[in-house]
Amino acid sequence: MILIVDSGATKSDWIALDEKGNQLFMTQTLGLSPEVLTRPVIEDRLANNFELSKNREAVTHLYFYGAGCGTDRMKKFLTEIFNDFFPNAKAEVKEDTYAAIFATTKIGQHGIVCILGTGSNCSYYDGEKLHQKVTSLGYIPMDDGSGNFFGRKLIRDYYFNKIPMDLATKFAKEYNLDADVIKENLYKQPNPNTYLATFARFIVENKNHPYCRGVIDKGFQQFVNNYIMQFELATKVPVSFVGSIAYYLREELATVVERNDLILGVIRQRPIEGLVEFHKGSI
């Protein structure tokens, strides 16, 4: 059995294939980002999934693409966990950017591939290898244009009284904005980046409000400036995107892309379907 996994900070999509490439099952767990989760938490998330627990000894290959897997230390950390949980499997851990590449760009073609979901990232693919200009320092100082970026912006603007009154009232009705609740989730609970990203739904649902429109535009422009424009061929090759923020704000994203003379490639909400097709080609 082959397991293919696309893991963001919020959730992980798992698809199991047999040796002929036929789908056996599809399931989800919560996100498994090694940067923000301890080993016991990750092990619990695996063990609490019925399909994974039932088939743990039948898995022979595990291809895991995950947020927070950009360093050798994090890859080793997750690989050791997977080797223990799936005792007969050969585990291969790559950062989630590779999932985005395989889902949007054909082998041999050049392109820039971006992730705009709970977090954000950007890489150049030369047809064979991935190249990055920016080393991520995580969600606190970086992740421009992501769900947690917009969530952090909303909370800050609300507390600094920068959100227009009509929208601020609506925001307060839909979310618990009590200071103690926010601080509890940010500093004492796991996955603070995922918590921040939950507020991004408000931006999406109210994207036509002048305030939200401005926040979205500035956030995407900041992502273009700080990430995409790092590459010399930025305006010469297609720029593709994966992630919920990119997908649900695709019209706004396309406007910013075109304004910067970039070539818009593919926008996918989730790369898992493309990943399955990619791995079927090597079975």
Side-chain angles (χ1 to χ4, degrees):
M1 181 186 297
I2 299 169
L3 277 180
I4 301 167
V5 193
D6 171 40
S7 178
T10 304
K11 64 181 183 300
S12 301
D13 293 317
W14 301 68
I15 289 183
L17 306 177
D18 64 17
E19 66 279 0
K20 295 181 179 180
N22 299 311
Q23 182 172 317
L24 298 174
F25 65 83
M26 183 173 185
T27 188
Q28 275 192 347
T29 64
L30 293 174
L32 301 177
S33 176
E35 286 185 333
V36 295
L37 299 176
T38 63
R39 178 172 182 138
V41 170
I42 294 174
E43 290 174 336
D44 283 345
R45 292 184 178 184
L46 295 173
N48 288 333
N49 182 281
F50 174 75
E51 292 286 0
L52 299 182
S53 293
K54 182 178 70 171
N55 294 285
R56 58 195 300 261
E57 295 186 359
V59 179
T60 57
H61 293 83
L62 170 64
Y63 299 99
F64 184 91
Y65 302 85
C69 298
T71 66
D72 290 338
R73 184 170 65 88
M74 292 294 97
K75 291 175 186 176
K76 183 175 183 292
F77 172 68
L78 271 184
T79 299
E80 290 175 352
I81 294 175
F82 292 145
N83 285 341
D84 288 343
F85 190 81
F86 301 105
N88 301 312
K90 179 181 179 181
E92 184 175 323
V93 177
K94 290 181 178 290
E95 60 185 295
D96 52 355
T97 305
Y98 276 99
I101 287 171
F102 295 153
T104 61
T105 309
K106 293 182 179 179
I107 300 297
Q109 293 185 348
H110 290 230
I112 292 173
V113 182
C114 310
I115 296 172
L116 288 175
T118 298
S120 66
N121 206 341
C122 179
S123 299
Y124 182 85
Y125 181 61
D126 66 5
E128 295 182 2
K129 297 181 180 179
L130 177 154
H131 305 273
Q132 289 186 315
K133 289 282 190 177
V134 177
T135 299
S136 177
L137 297 177
Y139 75 97
I140 295 176
M142 292 187 165
D143 276 4
D144 295 355
S146 68
N148 78 69
F149 172 90
F150 287 128
R152 184 168 64 247
K153 171 68 173 172
L154 279 172
I155 292 174
R156 284 174 54 84
D157 282 3
Y158 179 81
Y159 269 88
F160 285 129
N161 301 306
K162 291 184 177 181
I163 299 181
M165 185 60 67
D166 63 321
L167 198 64
T169 301
K170 186 177 182 180
F171 188 42
K173 287 182 179 179
E174 294 190 20
Y175 293 90
N176 187 337
L177 299 176
D178 180 80
D180 288 337
V181 172
I182 292 173
K183 287 187 284 186
E184 170 73 19
N185 280 278
L186 290 181
Y187 303 114
K188 295 183 179 181
Q189 296 301 318
N191 297 93
N193 55 332
T194 302
Y195 169 73
L196 286 171
T198 62
F199 294 96
R201 174 180 58 83
F202 188 81
I203 282 277
V204 173
E205 293 177 349
N206 296 278
K207 64 181 184 177
N208 292 323
H209 190 284
Y211 165 82
C212 293
R213 204 159 51 232
V215 169
I216 293 166
D217 188 82
K218 290 178 182 178
F220 284 160
Q221 185 61 56
Q222 187 170 320
F223 179 83
V224 169
N225 293 343
N226 291 338
Y227 288 80
I228 298 176
M229 289 304 185
Q230 296 269 356
F231 298 105
E232 294 179 1
L233 297 177
T235 60
K236 307 297 183 182
V237 299
V239 182
S240 296
F241 298 85
V242 299
S244 55
I245 294 297
Y247 181 79
Y248 288 114
L249 296 174
R250 55 191 178 277
E251 293 179 3
E252 293 74 16
L253 179 58
T255 297
V256 175
V257 167
E258 292 168 7
R259 185 174 68 218
N260 287 272
D261 296 322
L262 301 173
I263 303 169
L264 182 61
V266 177
I267 298 178
R268 283 182 181 265
Q269 182 179 359
R270 299 187 306 167
I272 188 67
E273 294 87 358
L275 276 179
V276 170
E277 292 305 315
F278 173 79
H279 282 286
K280 278 184 177 180
S282 60
I283 291 178

